């Protein structure tokens, strides 16, 4: 299932806009949504377990939560690939239920995700100087190329925060905060009475490192 919004006139910026309560359900098929401007999500659903299950791409805009009626992204076993320029859930976290996340944001805005259960993060790169916040209701595995905040211009809000409310955090690939601020922290917080944090790769940054 393919949705595309392209410029037809120089200077135009076309958005994809889903109203709150709107649902795109591809069954077991893949979904690809692309725009030059913002992509505003109601709910997108697929049972695909492929690495191409859901692709969201904007060349100049943000991926935006279009409302709280439904979970924004439901891809329980497949990979969700997000490429944005101006933020991913910035200021209003995307609610997700996904298997694996691969996300890039290049210029401005936050990356904010709220996952209902467990999550594998195979890649996050934040080119903005703003933070990365991922919260999950289950176990979180960081593998692949890991998590990088690569925006180096000093910004006191350039934190990486990875939190579970009831699950382990297993860091098998590097988490790197490259922002030059001394307040650019890395925080891993595993909630739940029996939850653990396991780190078998590197945690680097110029701010505080907290494992809670």
């Amino acid at each position: 299932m393919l949705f595309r919004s392209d410029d037809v006139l120089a200077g135009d910026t076309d958005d994809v806009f889903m109203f709150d309560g709107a649902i795109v359900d591809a069954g077991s098929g893949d979904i690809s949504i692309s725009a030059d401007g913002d992509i505003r999500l109601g709910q997108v659903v697929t049972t695909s377990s492929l690495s191409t299950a859901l692709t969201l791409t904007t060349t100049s805009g943000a991926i935006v939560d279009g409302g709280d009626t439904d979970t924004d992204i439901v891809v329980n076993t497949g990979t969700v690939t997000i490429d944005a320029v101006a933020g991913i859930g910035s200021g209003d976290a995307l609610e997700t239920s996904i298997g694996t996340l691969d996300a890039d944001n290049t210029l401005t805005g936050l990356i904010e995700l709220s996952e209902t259960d467990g999550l594998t993060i195979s890649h996050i790169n934040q080119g903005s100087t703003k933070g990365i916040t991922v919260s999950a209701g289950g176990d979180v595995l960081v593998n692949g190329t890991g998590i990088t905040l690569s925006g180096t211009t000093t910004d006191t809000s350039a934190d990486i925060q990875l939190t579970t409310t009831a699950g382990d955090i297993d860091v098998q690939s590097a988490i790197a905060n490259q922002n030059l601020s001394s307040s650019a922290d890395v925080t891993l917080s595993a909630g739940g009475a029996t939850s653990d944090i396991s780190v078998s790769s590197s945690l680097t940054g110029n701010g505080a490192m907290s494992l809670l």
Side-chain angles (χ1 to χ4, degrees):
M1 189 174 290
L2 173 66
F3 298 86
R4 183 169 179 81
S5 176
D6 283 319
D7 281 352
V8 293
L9 295 174
D12 281 357
T13 302
D14 293 335
D15 302 330
V16 171
F17 191 101
M18 295 178 65
F19 287 94
D20 188 19
I23 299 173
V24 172
D25 188 339
S28 61
D30 294 347
I31 301 172
S32 178
I33 302 175
S34 63
D36 296 316
D38 292 345
I39 297 174
R40 184 175 296 270
L41 298 176
Q43 183 182 63
V44 289
V45 182
T46 176
T47 60
S48 172
S49 60
L50 300 178
S51 61
T52 53
L54 173 62
T55 303
L56 302 174
T57 305
T58 170
T59 57
S60 64
I63 310 300
V64 181
D65 184 345
D68 296 325
T69 297
D70 300 298
T71 300
D72 299 304
I73 299 172
V74 181
V75 184
N76 290 312
T77 58
T79 297
V80 175
T81 302
I82 303 175
D83 291 289
V85 175
I88 298 170
S90 185
D92 187 1
L94 297 182
E95 294 91 20
T96 65
S97 180
I98 64 180
T100 300
L101 175 67
D102 181 325
D104 287 274
N105 184 58
T106 59
L107 192 60
T108 63
L110 298 153
I111 295 176
E112 296 185 277
L113 299 174
S114 177
E115 168 68 20
T116 58
D117 47 27
L119 173 68
T120 295
I121 299 171
S122 66
H123 171 80
I124 294 178
N125 184 72
Q126 169 65 303
S128 162
T129 61
K130 301 302 180 183
I132 300 168
T133 301
V134 178
S135 63
D139 296 341
V140 172
L141 169 64
V142 180
N143 63 10
T145 58
I147 300 173
T148 304
L149 197 158
S150 58
T152 57
T153 303
T154 300
D155 193 320
T156 57
S157 64
D159 298 328
I160 298 174
Q161 300 180 44
L162 184 57
T163 304
T164 68
T165 56
D168 298 337
I169 298 176
D170 185 0
V171 179
Q172 297 182 4
S173 295
I175 297 178
N177 192 335
Q178 298 174 355
N179 192 269
L180 297 177
S181 171
S182 61
S183 300
D185 301 335
V186 175
T187 302
L188 309 180
S189 177
T194 61
S195 296
D196 297 320
I197 298 174
S198 173
V199 179
S200 55
S201 189
S202 61
L203 304 178
T204 58
N206 291 300
M209 299 284 163
S210 301
L211 279 66
L212 307 172

